[in-house]
Amino acid sequence: MHETAEMKVLLARAPARFLAGSGRPSACLPLGLLHIAAVLEKNNVAVEIYDGMMNATKPVSTDANGNIHMGDSWEEVEARIRESKPEVVGITCPFTTQVENAIRLSKIVKKANPNTFTVMGGHHPSASPLALLLDVQSIDMICIGEGEYTMLEVVRSLERGVTPTGIPGTLDRMDVAGGKFTRPVPHILELDNLPLPSYHLINLEDYFSLRKRGFVDRPIVRGTGAERAVSIVTSRGCPFRCVFCSIHLHMGRKWRAHSVEYVLHHVDFLVDKYGVRHIHFEDDNISSNVHRFRGILDGLIKRGTRVTWDTPNGIRVDTLTRDVLAGCKASGCVYLVFGVESGNQRVLDEIVEKRLDLQAVERVAKWCKEFSLDTGSFFVIGFPGETRQDMKDTVGYALRLQRRYDVNPALFVAIPYPGTVLERIFSERNLLRKELSAEEMLGIARGSMVIDGDTFLGRDIVSMRKRLFRWYRFNIVLNFLSFLVRRPSIAAMTAKFLLKHARIGEMGEVLLEILLYKNYILGASGAGKRLRKDGKKESSR
Ligand code: B12
Ligand code: SF4
C-alpha cells in the first residue's frame, strides 16, 4: 500500500483563443484532466484541477484585432499558479489549434518556479511529441496517448526524488539527449478498472451555464432542463483509417470499451449526484459493438429515460439497424449525428477511405424520420484530388438528405492535422507553401481561411459552403412549415415556447434550436414530452 503522497500536483488547461470573425467561442469540460485526476486520487495523490478556460465572472475578452481570449487573463493564470505552488503540473492540449496557449501556460509555470516538473499531454502533443519537446524548453515531458497511469508513474517517481524518465508512453529530455525519439505507447485495455472522472474537482454548475454566458458548447435544447448536460466517452480507439482523422495517434486503433454496467453506473452517478439531465456521448465509435450499445440502450430504457442523450461527435451509420434505432428513440435519444464525410461514393472510397456505403446512410436517415428522431450529419470538403464537381455532389447530397429526411448538415473543410495521412498527402502534392501554423488551422476550422487544392481553388470551398448554408436555412424553414401545416396545434406551442425561453436578441438562435430539434421539443419524442410536461422532474416508466 502507498503512503499518502506529498507531491503537490496541479492539472491545468490554458485559456483558449479564437480568431476574429470566427463565431462564438466553444467550450467543454476538461475531460482528459478529470480522468487523470481520478486515478491519482484513487492512489492517494492530492491533486487540483485548474481550468484556465473557465472564468465565471469575465468569460471572454477581445483584443484590438477582435480576436477572442477565453478564460482567465494571463496575469490571473500566473497568480493562480503562484498561489497553488505545484511541484508537478500536467497540462492538457487536446487541439493543435490551441497549442500556443498551452505552451504559454508551461512557460508561466516555469517562470513561477523553474523546478516545477511539467508534463504536457492530450491529442496534439501525442501527434507531435518530438517537435514540441525540441521547440519548447518549458516542457519536461510529453505524454503520448492515455495519461491516467502515466501521470501516476511520473508522480511516484518524483515522490522518490527521481526525475522521471523512460516511462512507457512518454518522451522526455533525457530521451532526446540520448537520441531516443520513440517508445511503444501502451493503451489501457480494461477501461472498467478506471474510476469515474473526478467531477468534484471542478464546479460543474459553471459548465452547465456555458450557453447562457455566450459560448457554444454541444447543442442542447434550451428550456427543457437539458442544459445540465455532461460529455462522456464510453469507448476509446478506432480501427478505421479515414485520411483526415488522427484519433489513432493518442487512442490507438484497437477499440476498447467500458462495460454496459459501468456506463449505466456512470450515468446514474451523474444524475443522482449532479442532477444531470442530458448526456453527450462523445465516443468516436459508440456502436462498434452493437450488442454492447443495445445493452446501454436497454439499461436506459429500464431506468425510465432519466436522461436524454445525443451523439454530437458522430456515429457510424452502418452500425445502425431499425431495431437499434427503435432502442435509441425509446431510451431518450434526441439527436443522432451521422459521420458521412462525402456525398460522392468515389471520394468516400478512394480519397477519404471511410469504408461507408452511401446507401446505408439513406436507409438509416429514412428510418430515423419514421421514428421522429432528429438527426444531423458531418461532411468534409477540400480533400486533395477532389474536384469541384465532387464537392458539389457532397453539397447536393447533404441538401437532399435534409430535404427528404430532415438530416441537418454540417460542412467542414479538410485540414492536414499533424500525423494524419492527409498531412502526408498535402505535403507530397506540395499544396502548402509552408507548414500550417496553429493559428492558420484555427482559421480553416472556423471558416475564416481556405487553401487551394490541386484540383480546386480555395474560393470554390467558400462558394460551396455559402451555397450549402443558404439552402440549408431555406430547407429547414420549409420543412418546419410543412410540419406545422400537418400539425397546426403545434404552431401556438412553438410561439409560446419561444416567448418563454428566448430574450429578444436570441429569438433567431432559439428558433433555430427549435427547428433542429423539432421532434423532441414539440413532443413527438417521448423523452421531450416528459421533460416539458413536468418542468424539472421526469416521470419514470
Ligand atoms: C469532444 C471533442 C471535442 C469537443 C470538446 C473537447 C473538450 N473536452 O474540450 C469540442 C466540441 C469543443 C471539440 C472541438 C474541436 N475539435 Co474535437 N474532439 C473531441 C473528441 C471527440 C473527444 C475528446 C475527449 O474529450 N476525449 C476524452 C478524454 C478522456 O480524452 P483526452 O482529452 O484525449 O485525454 C486523454 C489523453 O489525451 C491524455 N491527456 C490529455 N491531457 C493530458 C494531460 C496530461 C498532463 C497527460 C499526462 C495526459 C493527457 O490522457 C487523457 C486520458 O486518457 C476528440 C476525439 C478523441 N477521441 O479524442 C476530438 C478531437 C480532439 N477534436 C479534433 C478537432 C479537429 C476539433 C476542432 C478543430 C473541430 C472543428 N473543426 O472546429 C475543434 C477545436 C476547438 C478549439 N477549441 O480549438 C481532433 C483534434 C485534431 C488536432 N490535431 O487538433 C480530434 C482528435 C478528432 C479527430 N477525429 O481527429 N472537440
Ligand atoms: S473519422 Fe471516425 S471512423 Fe474514421 S478513423 Fe476517425 S474515428 Fe474512426
Side-chain angles (χ1 to χ4, degrees), residues 237-242 244-247 253 284-285 316 341 354:
C238 178
F240 292 96
R241 290 168 186 266
C242 308
F244 60 87
C245 182
S246 51
I247 80 136
R253 295 210 188 273
D284 295 298
N285 280 298
R316 270 200 77 103
E341 329 305 359
K354 177 88 184 172

Side-chain angles (χ1 to χ4, degrees), residues 29 92 95-98 145 147-148 218 245-246 250 284 313 417:
L29 286 175
T92 190
F95 314 116
T96 302
T97 48
Q98 298 296 337
E148 285 91 341
R218 290 312 208 184
C245 182
S246 51
H250 68 317
D284 295 298
N313 182 38
Y417 284 117

Side-chain angles (χ1 to χ4, degrees), residues 10-13 16-18 26-33 35-36 53 89-98 119-127 142-148 150-151 154 188 194 216-218 231-233 235-237 244-251 282-284 313 412-413 415 417-418 420 441-442 444-446:
L10 181 71
L11 298 177
R13 177 161 76 169
R17 175 178 159 76
F18 294 94
S26 61
C28 203
L29 286 175
L31 274 190
L33 299 185
H35 279 262
I36 295 168
M53 201 191 266
V89 176
I91 298 171
T92 190
C93 177
F95 314 116
T96 302
T97 48
Q98 298 296 337
V119 188
M120 191 179 283
H123 180 76
H124 177 75
S126 302
I142 298 285
C143 167
I144 306 164
E146 293 153 282
E148 285 91 341
T150 309
M151 200 61 195
V154 168
I188 302 171
L194 295 172
V216 219
D217 57 353
R218 290 312 208 184
S231 284
I232 72 173
V233 175
S235 60
R236 297 180 181 181
F244 60 87
C245 182
S246 51
I247 80 136
H248 62 281
L249 296 169
H250 68 317
M251 289 300 173
E282 301 281 1
D283 301 50
D284 295 298
N313 182 38
F412 297 97
V413 179
I415 302 177
Y417 284 117
T420 56
M441 291 190 193
L442 189 56
I444 301 173
R446 310 278 293 195

